[in-house]
Each structure stands twice: as structure tokens, then as C-alpha cells.
Amino acid sequence: MPPLVETQDLVKEYVLGGETVHAVNHVSLKIERGEFVAIMGASGSGKSTFMNMIGCLDVPSSGEVLIDGIATREMTSDAMAELRNSKIGFVFQQFNLLARTSALDNVAVPLIYAGVSGEARRERARATLTQMGLADRLDHSPAKLSGGQQQRVAIARALVTNPLMLLADEPTGALDTHTSEEIMHVFQTLNDEGITVVLVTHEADIADYAARRIVFRDGEVIEDGPVANRRRGRAA
């Protein structure tokens, strides 16, 4: 069975002010099924560019990204979108929820693009929100939810299509310390259940909840290894 994510001599270049900037510079690595990986680095280190490419949101200048053994660089935009929708769930710092829409309907949105019928969408969304401990918040709009609850809705939305991998971009950046611990407990629980989690963060204490840490600097990987003293999140 191939790695869930494999990058082969991955390069992403931008031309700025007449100069070529290597946002990602010849990166080759593998992420296996069931791993919990933190990708770290300062602003401009290349971590977000790398995440965008393994999330099929961007294409490399050269090299290759394979998702579940599928090469992506030469894919059409439609094929890339289908791969994203079937294998990857996304969680973002600012939640990105529809403001005037209930938690239930927010979570059901990805299933529209997956072609799931109306009642089946609602049933799957309801079950996923219940899994996130939000069975009593189904009809609440984001404005009526705390930051932690909004992020749980966002995680439910990412999970509802049954992806192989969650990509979380600074998922605790808008949360206080206590709520961050609760959200990291959610990610750890999902990982314990077999979901691969790739977490992008610049915070060392958040990276310590992962099992493996990959550190970028100037587009290159300068560290890749296990987290020595792994932290455990706190249940809500």
C-alpha cells in the first residue's frame, strides 16, 4: 500500500521583483496512513505553500505530489477537485462557516458537491455533529456558537465526506488556551480512530500534540522526527 502522501523533489517557485523565490525547495518526504504530523516554520518558511500542494489546492513548479498513490501534478482542475473532495478534509483558523446558516446545513455543504441527496445529507451531517458533541446545537448559526463550538462545526464539515486525511491550517490560532486544548483533544481522538491528521502551525506547544514534527525554513525541511514529549489534549 502506498503512503497516503508522498512528495518527490517538490519545488514551488515564484518570481518577485525579478528574483526567483523558492517557496518550497526540493522536498521529498512521505506521510503514512494514520500519522499525526505537525508542519512547523516561521512565516515565509514554506509550510503553507507545502500544505496547499499536498492539499491539491496548488500545483508544484516541478516534482510530484502523490495522494494515496495518485500523481497530481498533471491533473485537470476538475480531477484535482474530485480528489480533494473524496480524500481530504480542510480545517482553517477562521472556521469559514456560512454566517446565516445553521450548523447542520454548514456541515452538509460538502455533501452537495459529492452528489448526496437532501435527506441523506442531513442525516450524515447530524451524525457527524453528534460525534463532535454538538447534538444540541444543530440549528444554531455561527453567531450563537462559541469559538470552540464553531471550530467543532468546521471539523465536522471536514469529516462528513469520510476523508482519508484532515489538513488543519492553524486550527487553534483564533482560540484561547483552554479551548485549544479541547480542539487538540478532538484531533487526537480522530487520529486514534485512524484518520491521518496533518497540522500546520507556528506554535511549538500546539505541534507537541502531534506524533511527528516536520520543520521548514527557507523552503527546505530542516527537521523531521518524532515528538519527544507528546502532549495530550483535554476533553471538553
Side-chain angles (χ1 to χ4, degrees), residues 39-43 45-51 170 200-202 216:
I39 299 177
M40 292 194 67
S43 178
S45 64
K47 66 182 187 300
S48 294
T49 302
F50 179 80
M51 186 206 74
E170 302 281 4
V200 175
T201 183
H202 67 279
F216 276 77

Side-chain angles (χ1 to χ4, degrees), residues 141-185:
S141 67
K144 296 179 180 178
L145 299 172
S146 68
Q149 289 169 337
Q150 289 184 62
Q151 193 59 292
R152 286 172 183 268
V153 173
I155 294 170
R157 181 184 57 193
L159 285 174
V160 76
T161 56
N162 299 315
L164 296 177
M165 173 172 64
L166 288 183
L167 280 181
D169 188 8
E170 302 281 4
T172 62
L175 304 174
D176 60 50
T177 300
H178 179 81
T179 307
S180 294
E181 291 176 356
E182 294 178 354
I183 292 301
M184 294 313 299
H185 174 77

